[in-house]
Amino acid sequence: EEEVMLIQPNNVTFGQYSVTEWQENLLTLISDQIQQHMTREKQLPKDLFNQPVVEIKCDEAGGKNNKSKVLKEAIAMMRKNFSFRWVHPNIHQTVETFGVVITTVHNIKGTNRVALTLNPWAIPFLLYYGTGVGGTRYGKNIALTLRGNYTKRLYKIICSQRDRREYYYSIDQFCKDLEIPASCTDTNQGKRGRCMVRLQIHLQNA
């Protein structure tokens, strides 16, 4: 079966945020459905208040028989903030916008699905790339099946640089972008080194 390729802005790939492995899968599945809508492959449904909705199969987001965990992680995402800058077409000034990706979570009882109402402002955050904003092209199934939140983020970072022979990514910036815990800061070189080794092994074994 041919790998489904998705694209996300490099601003998201290198964004300074921390999400769990399950939440990273939810972001991948949300991006997949938005892109299908943008390419007119599949219409994005609306909720009762005319807001965009994506329906998630919990088996895709977290493996079989894990609906309760997927539901819990989706609810937690309603507290995850994003921000991006854009130029207003009328006033021609830069605007910085803040929000959450998921505004409402709907548990479809008796099924293995949940429906997520999206903040419409999250769509350009998750999708726009172009002038001044590069894009990361990655495989949907690979992104979903890799284990570990850092491994998933690293995979997308590597994909963003696939056209380069070498890419230097400082450990300090890496820790900042992925919000690595305090045990991996400059004040504790030994622990940070062990943390990085574990990440490298995890990526190689994935």
Side-chain angles (χ1 to χ4, degrees), residues 175-193:
C175 290
K176 185 177 180 181
D177 289 346
L178 274 67
E179 295 189 356
I180 304 292
S183 60
C184 300
T185 62
D186 284 337
T187 58
N188 204 331
Q189 291 287 345
K191 283 189 177 181
R192 183 174 71 176

Side-chain angles (χ1 to χ4, degrees), residues 45-206:
K46 301 290 184 68
D47 68 7
L48 295 177
F49 298 96
N50 207 34
Q51 298 299 300
V53 174
V54 297
E55 193 171 290
I56 301 294
K57 295 177 181 177
C58 294
D59 287 354
E60 280 192 294
K64 295 186 180 298
N65 303 317
N66 277 313
K67 180 178 182 178
S68 60
K69 179 67 173 176
V70 173
L71 189 62
K72 179 181 177 181
E73 296 286 352
I75 291 171
M77 279 191 71
M78 292 193 293
R79 299 188 295 272
K80 298 284 186 179
N81 297 317
F82 71 86
S83 66
F84 69 100
R85 295 183 180 186
W86 55 287
V87 177
H88 197 291
N90 296 329
I91 62 176
H92 307 292
Q93 289 183 310
T94 298
V95 179
E96 187 170 15
T97 298
F98 301 85
V100 294
V101 174
I102 298 172
T103 61
T104 315
V105 176
H106 312 272
N107 179 10
I108 306 175
K109 295 289 189 176
T111 73
N112 198 32
R113 304 191 307 278
V114 295
L116 311 175
T117 299
L118 303 181
N119 176 356
W121 282 97
I123 294 176
F125 166 72
L126 292 171
L127 210 61
Y128 175 79
Y129 69 97
T131 305
V133 182
T136 299
R137 189 169 184 266
Y138 65 94
K140 172 187 171 183
N141 292 330
I142 296 173
L144 291 174
T145 54
L146 285 173
R147 294 188 176 183
N149 56 330
Y150 295 145
T151 304
K152 291 174 183 292
R153 291 287 304 275
L154 279 168
Y155 166 65
K156 292 179 180 179
I157 288 169
I158 290 169
C159 286
S160 75
Q161 305 298 321
R162 66 169 70 235
D163 295 331
R164 297 188 182 189
R165 294 184 62 184
E166 291 182 318
Y167 177 65
Y168 295 95
Y169 194 19
S170 74
I171 293 177
D172 288 338
Q173 189 62 48
F174 173 84
C175 290
K176 185 177 180 181
D177 289 346
L178 274 67
E179 295 189 356
I180 304 292
S183 60
C184 300
T185 62
D186 284 337
T187 58
N188 204 331
Q189 291 287 345
K191 283 189 177 181
R192 183 174 71 176
R194 289 196 293 274
C195 180
M196 291 302 295
V197 169
R198 284 199 298 272
L199 288 174
Q200 289 168 357
I201 292 172
H202 196 179
L203 184 59
Q204 289 166 1
N205 290 341

